[in-house]
Amino acid sequence: MPRNLGKRNRSPELSPELSTELSDSFRDSSVDSLEDSSGDEFVYRLDADILINKSFTLYRCTPLYKFDLSNLLQYAKEIKKFFEGQVTGILPFDSKLDEHENINMLKELKERKVTDVVISRINVPNWNDSNNLPIGIEIKFRFKKSSTEQKFHIMLFPSISHGDDTKNGLSFSHYPLILIKAPQRITTIFVEWFQRQFDCRICRYYLESSNLKNIIEEWTNLVFNQDLPSSPSVSRQTELTYSIPNISEIKNITLRISFEDTKRLYNSIIQKDAEQTSNIMEGIENHFFHCLRIKFTSLILSKISTNVGHVTCDGKLKLFKVYSSHLTASFLEKLVIAAQ
Amino acid sequence: MQNHFVNNDYALFTPQPSLRRVINRHSKDSLLKIVKKWLEIPQLIPKYEENNEYQQTKNLWQIYEKLFGNKKKIVDKIYFDDWKNGLTYLQVAQLDMKYFHDRPNLKQWKALKLCWDDGELRKEFRNKEILRSTLSKHLSLFFANHLYIEVYDKNWWFRISIHDGVSQNSLPINANIIYLIYFTNSEHLLCSNVKREHKEFILQGLLKTFACQKIEECDLKGKYVNSLEQLLLHQKSQGIYSQYRLNQVDDSPLEHTSKGPNIDDQMKSKDNAIDDNFGPNEQPSLDVVEIKLDMPFNTYTDNHLEESPISTTVVFEGSNVIEGVKKMVTSGYAIPPLPKFLVELHSSSKNYIEVVQQEN
């Protein structure tokens, strides 16, 4: 999809980035004019860089009702107003928090001022469906006393196989996986707004042992199958952490294999089973059974860490900047498929 | 630097926030016990106008006993009232020593071994004062320090407080205070974390004091002092042999005639396998065990072994790893026969093991 920047002749004052200087009414009118002229085009203001080298918490989301992609700017305004309302106490707090937490939250938020909320598509190169890119929300905060700005990101990933159900007359859109990097208070406020607005339910995504095993399989397949132009700049070892149900004396057992040895393991498994997809987890667990006589297949895999990134069963994810960005899309797609 | 023993027990630390923290972290009970000890040392008794010292200390002690319910009042009385000029080195050492002796798990201990060459005379100490003066003399060559030794029935605890770079009246930082546990009549010591720049000097001091040729740092570390003691001192009587050490063995085995083999016996064979290896008694606690395995990759469907080994590391973490391994066998997560290095963890006295495939 070409980016026709020439079509929209935006003067600097109209750009939402500098909107903090302008009064609300002026900004409203400028935004309206943008919506009129943009039509189907979206501004790719967020880059796939925001996905790398940060620890995210994973959330699952039920289908969204009447989530209109053309209204993204409107949604940004509403989120900003909602945050400001929460800070000044106009809107009621989440009733699930108790009094004490509410007061703390108010105090903390009063220190900060929401400077801007930006919602746009994330420009993830090589995403499988370029019409349906993930959506990113960037919330900028600035402390009243200082000039430092903090940015928090929330990312919505569209489902891979389902299409938008608008064709059938239903107005549901599917974004099964959400990545959030923000303090707990901000997350709570955002989740509350989102749930009310789109009649959905967002909850933490706790991964199971089998999900983690699938993720490792997919990631190693991608990494070792691809003809990478050059070897990765940093090669981290593969680390698998298991916990044992019912035995409290051992908190966890961690297995570490160097990158080169993981590659050799993978290659030797591939050679043996040419038709089947490799099952590297089986290979690793068998190797350690042979050495230690411990059945890792019956233990619970709680954390994985490879060259690509690390994922824990609590639902925390971090991707490393080791491979070129075109692989980032593939890694995330696998995660989305697992979440569907 | 002076080359003789200087008893700096009664030098003063002036009142400062870190001093109050040292007093405050204790419980009411232990504070009262320590104050009672102080009131028995003539140099430490706070001076008031009354001439009769005995009567004065008795009164003072009664006041403290009355304050038993309120810790803040006790601390205030110590810090602002009775010892308002500050606490002596000895008092601070006693406070710290009690605190850490009651909570040894707060420190990370590393095992040291004293090595004497064959035929050399081993220096042993029966008298704490002589040991103190010897060690202090050797350490004073390197830095200003205060050494405090306390004798407990199983072992002796040393507290070395290094006053390098701070004035005489201010408390050194926690990282400059080192604790050592000496197992009397053995060649082993446990040492808490030492800064790299001080380690060589401490080891030299110990070397000279005990007149040994070498001090080795063993591959064993952990939080649990009792378990480390067991692993170090009773290395040869762990697992099933612990029954001998703990006097659980039948004195006259020839008296009972054995019955014939039974079906029940076969069912118990798994339990026997565990007992044979680990013994029926409680296992000493290790909180981290790291095993480096360099074994060739081998799947169980294919017997062909690759030529070169894969280097991997396995780390077990928990409150009692050896006991955990034993439980894994009973629960079925580990299938006997377990490899030798895993089963003999208790007798190896190490946290870090390297396993290499042998050339056959």
Side-chain angles (χ1 to χ4, degrees), chain B residues 110-127:
Chain B
K110 192 143 203 305
L112 297 173
K113 185 171 155 167
L114 305 166
C115 303
W116 286 274
D117 284 345
D118 288 333
E120 292 286 333
L121 190 63
R122 291 194 182 198
K123 190 108 180 246
E124 275 172 9
F125 291 91
R126 306 259 182 263
N127 186 327

Side-chain angles (χ1 to χ4, degrees), chain A residues 237 244-258 261-262 264-265 268-269 271-272 282-284 286-296 298-299, chain B residues 291 293 295-300 302 306 308-321 323-325 327-328 331-339 341-342:
Chain A
Q237 48 189 1
I244 312 180
N246 297 333
I247 295 185
S248 55
E249 281 85 357
I250 297 191
K251 204 167 62 170
N252 50 42
I253 306 181
T254 309
L255 305 174
R256 293 190 191 133
I257 312 176
S258 70
D261 286 333
T262 318
R264 276 176 44 212
L265 211 89
S268 69
I269 295 178
Q271 281 166 9
K272 284 165 190 155
E282 214 180 272
I284 293 178
N286 281 336
H287 171 75
F288 283 102
F289 179 71
H290 180 74
C291 298
L292 297 168
R293 303 286 299 180
I294 297 179
K295 276 183 0 194
F296 284 96
S298 27
L299 299 180
Chain B
I291 307 179
L293 290 168
M295 306 276 278
F297 174 61
N298 167 16
T299 58
Y300 70 118
D302 192 300
E306 285 219 342
S308 47
I310 306 184
S311 107
T312 62
T313 312
V314 181
V315 178
F316 291 81
E317 285 172 307
S319 60
N320 188 341
V321 170
E323 183 73 28
V325 172
K327 281 202 175 159
M328 281 208 283
S331 323
Y333 292 115
I335 317 272
L338 293 182
F341 56 85
L342 210 53

